[in-house]
Every structure is written in structure tokens, then in C-alpha cells.
Amino acid sequence: MSEPISATSATSAVATASILTLVPGAEPAVMIGAFTGAVLFIITNDTSGNLQRIGLFIVSFLGGVLCANWVANAISAMLPDTLQVNMGMAALISSACVVRMLQYVMKLTNNPESWINALRGLRGK
């Protein structure tokens, strides 16, 4: 049985994640979390084109880095005060979810009637 990932691919992924931690001014946990979340998103995504996968990976990674603080605050608001949210975990969650949320909003905007019905559902009517 063939391996799902080659040793070269695994080494490249680990090397890339290690290099990302060296970016000045960026928290290493956030960079690794966003990278991991973007990889998980690409693995679970059913997109067939490599160019499209690369684009989604970049958007997912940048979304994870940029939204990590917001997601950490949102999660910590739902947890007791004694628990702290790791920024790396927040980056992982945000990078895995940001593209899905954008795709959902884009799908709603394709049909304006469904968008209006979704807004009416939020108001309870």
C-alpha cells in the first residue's frame, strides 16, 4: 500500500512551517496554527485544480493570521475567565473557517432573494 504523503512532502511542510516562525513581528504559534489550519482546509476541500488549491491555501493562511486575535477574543468570551485561549489554536480555527464563511457569503450573494430571506430569519420574521 502506498503512503498518502511522501517523506519529501512531509519534510517540505515541516520546513515551511519552521521558516514561517522566523517572520519578524509575528508570533510563531500564530504562524504555525494558521499554516496547519490552511493545510487542513486544503486536505478536506474537494477542489480539483492545483492553482485553485494554492489560491485557497493562501487566502486561508492569511485569514488565519489576520483573524487569530478576533477568534481568540470570541472564543474567550464564551469560556470562563479562568481559561485562556492559545493564539495558535485561534489561528488554526480561523484559517480553517474563514474561506468556508467567505464561500457561504458569496453563495448567498449569487441569489439576492436567499440573502433577504436569511436576513429576515435573523429578525425572527
Side-chain angles (χ1 to χ4, degrees), residues 84-96:
Q84 293 183 349
V85 178
N86 185 344
M87 289 295 290
M89 185 58 66
L92 187 145
I93 292 169
S94 64
S95 67

Side-chain angles (χ1 to χ4, degrees), residues 3 9 13-14 16 20-22 29 31 34 38 40 43 50 53 57 63 65 68 78 85 92-93 96 98 100 119 121:
E3 294 183 33
S9 299
V14 171
T16 303
L20 287 174
T21 62
L22 300 176
M31 299 302 273
L40 287 173
I43 288 172
N50 286 337
R53 283 180 171 229
F57 176 83
V65 171
M78 293 183 275
V85 178
L92 187 145
I93 292 169
V98 70
R100 289 280 184 216
L119 289 176

Side-chain angles (χ1 to χ4, degrees), residues 40-77:
L40 287 173
F41 173 75
I42 293 301
I43 288 172
T44 59
N45 194 6
D46 56 356
T47 305
S48 59
N50 286 337
L51 190 58
Q52 190 175 9
R53 283 180 171 229
I54 291 170
L56 290 175
F57 176 83
I58 291 170
V59 171
S60 180
F61 176 75
L62 291 175
V65 171
L66 296 174
C67 296
N69 192 27
W70 181 81
V71 170
N73 290 336
I75 293 172
S76 65

Side-chain angles (χ1 to χ4, degrees), residues 116-125:
I116 293 169
N117 289 338
L119 289 176
R120 286 181 182 156
L122 290 175
R123 288 192 310 188
K125 291 185 178 182

